[in-house]
Amino acid sequence: MKVLVLLALVAIAAAWPNLGFQADGAGVSDAQKQHDVNFLLHKIYGEIRDSNLKAKADSFDPEADLSHYSDDGAAVQKLMRDLKDHRLLEQKHWFSLFNPRQRQEALMLFDVFIHCKDWDTFVSNAAYFRQRMNEGEFVYALYVAVIHSPLAEHVVLPPLYEVTPHLFTNSEVIEAAYRAKQTQTPGKFQSSFTGTKKNPEQRVAYFGEDIGMNTHHVTWHMEFPFWWQDSYSHHLDRKGENFFWVHHQLTVRFDAERLSNYLDPVGELHWDKPIVQGFAPHTTYKYGGQFPSRPDNVDFEDVDGVARIRDLLIVESRIRDAIAHGYIVDRAGNRIDIMNERGINVLGDIIESSMYSPNVQYYGALHNTAHIVLGRQADPHGKYALPPGVLEHFETATRDPSFFRLHKYMDNIFKEHKDSLPPYTKEQLTFNGVSIENLSVDGELETFFEDFEYSLINAVDDTKEIQDVEISTYVPRLNHKDFAYNIEITNNNDKEVLTTVRIFAWPHRDNNGIEYTFDEGRWNSIELDKFWVKLSSGTNHIVRKSSESAVTVPDVPSFETLFEKTKEALGGADSGLTEFESATGIPNRFLLPKGNEQGLEFDLVVAVTDGAADAALDGLHENTEFNHYGAHGKYPDNRPHGYPLDRKVPDERVFEDLPNFGHIQVKVFNHGEHIHHH
């Protein structure tokens, strides 16, 4: 969205050059905004360490001048009333977005931020409420506001694993950090993944417990929140379909990691069967005790005050009925046809369920309720007053192996819908005059592990009197060597054509060594890249580097880097932070699954489709700032996510005979290499 807002502002500014029009009225520099956000999120459990912001926090009156709010102060008056009546959650208490009252409070604050007309009002409110509201609620509201407010266009959000390290770091390491602080001894502590060699699930813990994957998951849910209403500021394009696709990709990627480690693909969860895999998180809340554990083979129980298992079964059957009928029924009783390429969007809104769902009363909120129900199985009746489980936070959810079983279950419901649509025909898939002559990969497809270090300064309690000591942890993370795709395409048209290049890969065999059929493979395909290019008449040789992938983003810079770069930018230098403005994609180090010693075989497929027909926006071939997974604004590709592999393929010859479709086998190697940097 920001992109579109900005273009509109630029247009106004160009039309009225003599007004000295500034995007936020007061002309605050991006560097100053970055500085403010850095300090608002640093040391979240202690005092604000920037004297200007601290002064604002102490002296600002949010209700003094309501002309600074686009809703005339309605949101801020509502929040202040609850603050004065002592209705808000205290500080130093856990926060969960899935707790209805806590979510409501965080959103009341978000509502204030999103209606601020200028940066000074935004930042003054942030400083003021940071001192008075629960820290978890504050962090959530500020993150979502920075992502969605046009005022914060170019601000880079610091990594959540440094803002609230407790949610990302094992208890053992946090304890070591506290000891280091107490004895004033700097330390670097090694993190290991939870679980033991006796637990086969441990072999893929590097995926679900990866701090970059956790960041991707939580950031995506901030970019497309289930509670979003367009009245806040703008419409989130294809939100329901994005919900399906991003979780589908997490699921198929997880299965590819399992195959790399000689495990079967993940089985779906059944409400009437035991949850086979237990989970001991080895993580502790900053305030609120340990995250609850769950033993193996627990039977689902109703969760008091949340849901009964039989209600989930009823909601599921209503959704499956709608898929079988090919339509859903909205609140007024009208039919909405879903037997088309946009049906998936409606279905995603219903399954999640988001505020965009046309009928929450009837179709419920399968996904959100399931997260809570699964998260509470350690204490379903509140008998032990345990805090929420890992599944009740987007930061921590993918740590629990049952997360992927839950999402496989929902993915299969989506598959049922996609498989009910008519398969694409040869005519629909052909791109006249365009053919792929050759497809190959430059460089070995090889992965390795390397240590990644992040700071734990914000994990420990803190006063100005006691010096900070350098405390950090390092954790092994998957990465891959650079490679590139070589694609040779002939354009037999006598003119230039715009084309979309779509690159996917799927495992060649299952864990029993049986080859996947084309139809099984395409549903398990990992999206590796998608980009637009103009083909001139004749032969076109395209080299696309793995580092350019549109589905990935670089790791978020550390607080230390942000402080350093912001200081330079305040002094007039280029901040060098532009590439980090979106953190919604998958971490670029996770582009390839791990593979193994022998080389895990994958089918690599490239589909070259008609760019002019696909494009939802102009100038896509010049667009290097690809919208990762649909973040910000209109999704540039008109086609459904996963196209042209998103529908069932009863006869693979349709694809194999297409001139604009290339298909080769490749191997991904992992030689057990682990690079240590200390």
Side-chain angles (χ1 to χ4, degrees):
M1 181 56 206
K2 294 184 182 174
V3 185
L4 305 179
V5 171
L6 196 71
L7 291 175
L9 294 174
V10 171
I12 296 167
W16 304 100
N18 54 343
L19 293 184
F21 184 95
Q22 289 276 352
D24 57 18
V28 180
S29 72
D30 288 336
Q32 181 60 45
K33 293 177 180 183
Q34 185 68 54
H35 170 93
D36 292 341
V37 170
N38 292 347
F39 279 96
L40 283 168
L41 289 163
H42 192 42
K43 309 231 178 232
I44 196 69
Y45 298 104
E47 291 209 342
I48 300 176
R49 290 299 173 88
D50 175 78
S51 48
N52 280 343
L53 287 173
K54 181 77 179 91
K56 284 183 175 173
D58 293 336
S59 66
F60 182 66
D61 173 3
E63 297 176 287
D65 183 354
L66 299 180
S67 73
H68 286 275
Y69 303 99
S70 57
D71 63 348
D72 300 323
V76 82
Q77 287 176 318
K78 185 174 168 196
L79 180 57
M80 288 299 285
R81 199 159 45 240
D82 276 18
L83 178 68
K84 287 169 185 163
D85 293 344
H86 304 291
R87 292 201 54 208
L88 300 177
L89 180 66
E90 72 264 27
Q91 294 194 320
K92 308 202 176 345
H93 185 289
W94 56 262
F95 160 71
S96 167
L97 188 64
F98 286 105
N99 175 301
R101 173 62 193 172
Q102 293 179 4
R103 175 171 70 244
Q104 187 189 357
E105 292 179 12
L107 296 190
M108 281 159 77
L109 178 56
F110 167 75
D111 211 6
V112 172
F113 291 148
I114 205 77
H115 286 107
C116 292
K117 284 184 183 174
D118 55 78
W119 185 253
D120 189 52
T121 308
F122 184 101
V123 83
S124 304
N125 273 295
Y128 178 88
F129 287 107
R130 168 178 154 151
Q131 292 200 154
R132 292 160 178 86
M133 280 181 73
N134 173 272
E135 301 87 351
E137 292 181 351
F138 171 80
V139 169
Y140 183 77
L142 185 60
Y143 263 76
V144 184
V146 167
I147 288 172
H148 291 281
S149 167
L151 293 175
E153 178 78 44
H154 298 298
V155 174
V156 174
L157 284 160
L160 275 163
Y161 47 79
E162 288 194 351
V163 177
T164 49
H166 278 74
L167 293 175
F168 299 87
T169 314
N170 293 1
S171 318
E172 296 83 353
V173 172
I174 297 279
E175 283 162 24
Y178 268 99
R179 282 195 297 277
K181 176 81 176 196
Q182 273 158 349
T183 57
Q184 290 282 291
T185 328
K188 277 185 195 188
F189 309 103
Q190 182 171 4
S191 282
S192 54
F193 299 114
T194 56
T196 62
K197 293 267 171 27
K198 286 184 177 171
N199 178 3
E201 292 295 321
Q202 171 61 16
R203 292 184 220 159
V204 285
Y206 64 82
F207 184 85
E209 293 183 26
D210 183 76
I211 52 172
M213 265 308 167
N214 303 148
T215 301
H216 158 64
H217 188 229
V218 70
T219 308
W220 186 89
H221 280 284
M222 288 172 166
E223 190 81 58
F224 296 95
F226 62 82
W227 48 260
W228 185 266
Q229 300 178 59
D230 291 355
S231 54
Y232 284 122
S233 60
H234 54 269
H235 181 71
L236 303 179
D237 191 34
R238 289 168 68 173
K239 180 166 171 291
E241 184 183 9
N242 284 331
F243 169 78
F244 148 66
W245 184 247
V246 84
H247 292 91
H248 173 69
Q249 282 297 302
L250 273 179
T251 308
V252 297
R253 282 175 172 277
F254 185 63
D255 276 345
E257 299 300 344
R258 296 177 71 83
L259 279 176
S260 300
N261 291 284
Y262 312 100
L263 294 169
D264 283 328
V266 86
E268 66 174 338
L269 197 107
H270 292 275
W271 297 118
D272 45 6
K273 291 185 185 160
I275 311 164
V276 178
Q277 299 297 340
F279 181 58
H282 287 256
T283 3
T284 309
Y285 281 95
K286 170 86 175 163
Y287 300 104
Q290 298 197 325
F291 273 90
S293 293
R294 181 186 65 246
D296 287 350
N297 300 309
V298 170
D299 283 316
F300 273 110
E301 286 191 50
D302 295 345
V303 177
D304 296 4
V306 176
R308 294 175 301 198
I309 297 304
R310 64 168 189 247
D311 295 334
L312 287 166
L313 287 164
I314 289 167
V315 161
E316 177 194 335
S317 79
R318 287 172 182 175
I319 293 168
R320 289 194 188 271
D321 263 357
I323 291 167
H325 281 304
Y327 63 84
I328 60 144
V329 178
D330 71 12
R331 280 183 66 175
N334 306 309
R335 291 184 179 188
I336 299 175
D337 175 24
I338 57 171
M339 289 295 287
N340 53 57
E341 62 176 25
R342 295 288 179 244
I344 186 79
N345 194 42
V346 181
L347 201 58
D349 287 335
I350 278 179
I351 288 175
E352 185 174 19
S353 114
S354 72
M355 301 291 286
Y356 283 10
S357 167
N359 196 344
V360 182
Q361 280 70 8
Y362 187 68
Y363 296 109
L366 185 59
H367 168 263
N368 294 351
T369 312
H371 263 270
I372 307 172
V373 166
L374 198 49
R376 295 280 172 89
Q377 288 305 307
D379 186 21
H381 310 300
K383 186 174 169 187
Y384 307 108
L386 295 180
V390 288
L391 283 150
E392 294 172 76
H393 303 270
F394 291 126
E395 291 92 333
T396 52
T398 61
R399 293 173 154 256
D400 188 332
S402 71
F403 170 88
F404 294 101
R405 287 159 181 81
L406 173 65
H407 276 281
K408 177 65 75 86
Y409 154 75
M410 282 184 250
D411 203 47
N412 286 342
I413 300 178
F414 283 120
K415 183 175 194 297
E416 206 165 291
H417 161 70
K418 281 285 194 178
D419 285 354
S420 72
L421 298 170
Y424 296 116
T425 63
K426 191 176 165 222
E427 292 66 45
Q428 285 172 307
L429 295 169
T430 305
F431 185 7
N432 283 330
V434 174
S435 58
I436 297 178
E437 306 300 334
N438 208 346
L439 172 58
S440 65
V441 173
D442 262 356
E444 281 271 272
L445 298 180
E446 195 182 329
T447 66
F448 57 93
F449 282 88
E450 66 179 347
D451 291 338
F452 182 84
E453 187 180 344
Y454 62 95
S455 164
L456 294 175
I457 278 184
N458 288 341
V460 296
D461 292 325
D462 183 89
T463 64
K464 281 187 182 156
E465 293 70 59
I466 301 174
Q467 275 280 281
D468 275 340
V469 289
E470 290 290 320
I471 316 169
S472 62
T473 179
Y474 58 95
V475 61
R477 295 187 65 195
L478 184 67
N479 204 343
H480 61 85
K481 303 202 164 149
D482 283 337
F483 64 94
Y485 313 96
N486 275 314
I487 314 165
E488 209 169 292
I489 309 176
T490 305
N491 170 17
N492 288 319
N493 298 296
D494 49 12
K495 60 176 195 304
E496 207 177 40
V497 292
L498 178 65
T499 178
T500 320
V501 182
R502 304 163 184 277
I503 307 178
F504 299 93
W506 66 72
H508 190 59
R509 299 168 194 278
D510 70 12
N511 199 30
N512 296 318
I514 298 166
E515 277 189 30
Y516 281 118
T517 64
F518 191 98
D519 192 51
E520 291 165 331
R522 60 102 205 158
W523 183 255
N524 286 298
S525 64
I526 293 168
E527 182 178 25
L528 293 172
D529 207 349
K530 169 164 53 178
F531 59 96
W532 284 268
V533 65
K534 285 213 158 152
L535 298 177
S536 47
S537 248
T539 309
N540 293 259
H541 190 88
I542 295 168
V543 177
R544 175 78 168 180
K545 295 199 280 243
S546 56
S547 57
E548 297 173 303
S549 171
V551 300
T552 68
V553 292
D555 288 320
V556 184
S558 65
F559 255 126
E560 197 184 345
T561 306
L562 286 174
F563 281 133
E564 205 175 292
K565 299 245 187 226
T566 306
K567 209 173 213 157
E568 291 166 15
L570 284 168
D574 174 29
S575 75
L577 293 171
T578 323
E579 62 174 316
F580 305 108
E581 283 171 23
S582 167
T584 312
I586 278 176
N588 53 17
R589 47 178 74 237
F590 272 83
L591 182 61
L592 291 179
K594 175 178 155 262
N596 53 34
E597 283 275 354
Q598 291 79 36
L600 188 67
E601 227 181 328
F602 281 86
D603 287 67
L604 179 75
V605 303
V606 173
V608 178
T609 62
D610 182 347
D614 298 346
L617 299 166
D618 293 335
L620 289 172
H621 55 291
E622 291 147 4
N623 176 16
T624 50
E625 305 296 305
F626 183 77
N627 314 20
H628 306 279
Y629 281 144
H632 290 337
K634 194 160 170 52
Y635 192 67
D637 183 10
N638 260 324
R639 301 286 177 200
H641 279 302
Y643 175 86
L645 302 175
D646 60 313
R647 297 195 184 183
K648 69 168 188 278
V649 180
D651 183 354
E652 70 268 21
R653 287 173 303 185
V654 171
F655 276 91
E656 301 299 6
D657 299 345
L658 278 181
N660 50 320
F661 185 81
H663 184 175
I664 58 171
Q665 251 96 51
V666 294
K667 283 184 172 174
V668 180
F669 292 93
N670 179 286
H671 297 300
E673 188 182 351
H674 189 150
I675 300 173
H676 296 279
H677 320 270
H678 304 302

